[in-house]
Amino acid sequence: MEYKNIIFDVKDGIGYVTMNRPKALNALNTEVLTELDDVFRAIDKNDDVQVVIVTGEGRSFIAGADIAQMSDLNGTEGRDMTIQGQLVMELIETINKPVIAAVNGFALGGGNELAMACDIRIASEKAKFGQPEVNLGIIPGYGGTQRLPRLVGKGMAKKLIYSAEMIDAQEAYRIGLVQEVVPAEELIARAEELAKTIMSKAPIAIKMAKVAINNGLQTDLKTGVQFEAEAYTSTFVSEDRVEGMKAFVEKRPAEFKNK
Ligand code: CO8
């Protein structure tokens, strides 16, 4: 598929998805969502990509769903656009490799929801976060009412969603919405450094850690630890587990082969 609103590159094991609709502050319309769906399905199957970095071109990460497009939709079409976006967020959340959001600017509404579907969020000190949907007479519709309380707790999520207040990167860090804040000019370098650290580990271990954490968060503790035991066993029977432990005993770096 040819992309008009995103740029996709692969370099040294990292897949870069750059939102590229800067005139509309990278707002998500149905065409952008279709492109994101296509690129993340391709990334999931692409052995050249081990970690993904998502960022935005210009001064915005993603300023939300496209309000101009939404304003013309009837109820059924609005529901379709919500479901389309929810499925894209679920795809990003569940692909079998880590996704780092490098949040360069506005992450509002659907933009914050996309960042929350990523595994890890690193923010530029210029980034701004918020769920401003109630200003428009709607609520978050790309999973925000569900992922935000899971990340920052019920009270803080309600405060942000009810008030539509925009918060800066430091506040997003304080409440646990983002994991790091860095100077704007260091954003991509820091995301790449983290990606390289992850890439130096056993790929199956990273994959299974993601599955165990994601599945566990959707269930009770007892079921969660059962998921963990199954995911753990998948790592334990791998060649990379034998290599990792052998390398430790032999006091040398491990050479993982993704087997
Ligand atoms: N949709 C469409 N266009 C947008 C959006 C958006 N979300 N955000 C910005 N733009 C456009 C502006 O219209 C403007 O276009 P133009 O130059 O043609 O007039 C351009 O981007 C630049 O924006 P501004 O001039 O407004 O720039 P400012 O620096 O003054 O302000 C803000 C930046 C604060 C980010 C401001 O643009 C803003 O408030 N944007 C809207 C943010 C918002 O409300 N986002 C939430 C949208 S709702 C949502 O995401 C729901 C998700 C679930 C949807 C379910 C589907 C039905």
Side-chain angles (χ1 to χ4, degrees):
M1 180 181 208
E2 199 179 316
Y3 302 132
K4 290 196 210 141
N5 305 283
I6 61 174
I7 300 167
F8 176 56
D9 285 317
V10 183
K11 197 171 159 237
D12 300 333
I14 303 176
Y16 297 83
V17 177
T18 305
M19 308 305 300
N20 189 30
R21 206 184 159 220
K23 279 191 189 151
L25 301 186
N26 299 327
L28 301 169
N29 61 20
T30 47
E31 189 178 65
V32 184
L33 289 169
T34 302
E35 292 181 16
L36 285 171
D37 180 78
D38 186 84
V39 82
F40 277 97
R41 278 177 200 283
I43 288 171
D44 204 21
K45 293 188 220 129
N46 186 340
D47 291 338
D48 293 337
V49 179
Q50 288 169 260
V51 177
V52 185
I53 295 176
V54 184
T55 193
E57 182 62 37
R59 64 190 174 101
S60 177
F61 178 69
I62 300 168
D66 191 312
I67 302 169
Q69 182 179 29
M70 276 191 295
S71 65
D72 287 336
L73 301 182
N74 64 30
T76 312
E77 291 162 340
R79 186 172 189 281
D80 288 347
M81 194 174 164
T82 300
I83 303 284
Q84 184 193 18
Q86 286 183 350
L87 290 174
V88 171
M89 304 309 152
E90 192 184 336
L91 174 65
I92 294 171
E93 190 168 54
T94 56
I95 65 162
N96 65 3
K97 33 205 104 180
V99 185
I100 300 170
V103 183
N104 53 301
F106 294 113
L108 301 175
N112 191 42
E113 290 171 302
L114 190 142
M116 291 191 292
C118 298
D119 293 276
I120 299 164
R121 285 148 294 285
I122 299 181
S124 144
E125 57 195 6
K126 291 187 177 161
K128 294 261 191 302
F129 298 81
Q131 295 290 160
E133 287 87 347
V134 295
N135 289 333
L136 305 166
I138 55 172
I139 63 169
Y142 291 159
T145 62
Q146 305 306 307
R147 289 191 182 89
L148 189 58
R150 281 166 170 79
L151 275 171
V152 303
K154 191 164 78 169
M156 187 58 80
K158 286 182 174 172
K159 184 182 128 176
L160 290 171
I161 291 172
Y162 296 177
S163 70
E165 268 171 16
M166 223 192 282
I167 57 171
D168 65 17
Q170 284 302 342
E171 176 66 358
Y173 175 71
R174 193 188 68 79
I175 66 174
L177 179 56
V178 305
Q179 284 62 63
E180 285 183 27
V181 181
V182 296
E185 61 279 10
E186 292 170 23
L187 179 66
I188 297 302
R190 175 59 193 137
E192 286 171 338
E193 184 183 48
L194 182 60
K196 283 177 188 154
T197 300
I198 295 170
M199 281 155 57
S200 71
K201 313 302 175 194
I204 180 131
I206 301 298
K207 197 154 83 180
M208 286 301 127
K210 177 165 176 166
V211 168
I213 294 168
N214 280 356
N215 286 354
L217 276 172
Q218 293 183 41
T219 187
D220 58 279
L221 182 64
K222 196 174 171 62
T223 313
V225 292
Q226 284 166 356
F227 278 135
E228 184 186 71
E230 294 311 315
Y232 175 86
T233 306
S234 309
T235 63
F236 212 80
V237 297
S238 71
E239 287 180 27
D240 281 348
R241 186 278 298 183
V242 176
E243 163 63 9
M245 293 188 181
K246 204 163 165 242
F248 178 82
V249 172
E250 292 172 2
K251 299 189 188 304
R252 61 170 175 83
E255 281 180 39
F256 295 120
K257 297 196 173 108
N258 195 14
K259 282 186 180 162

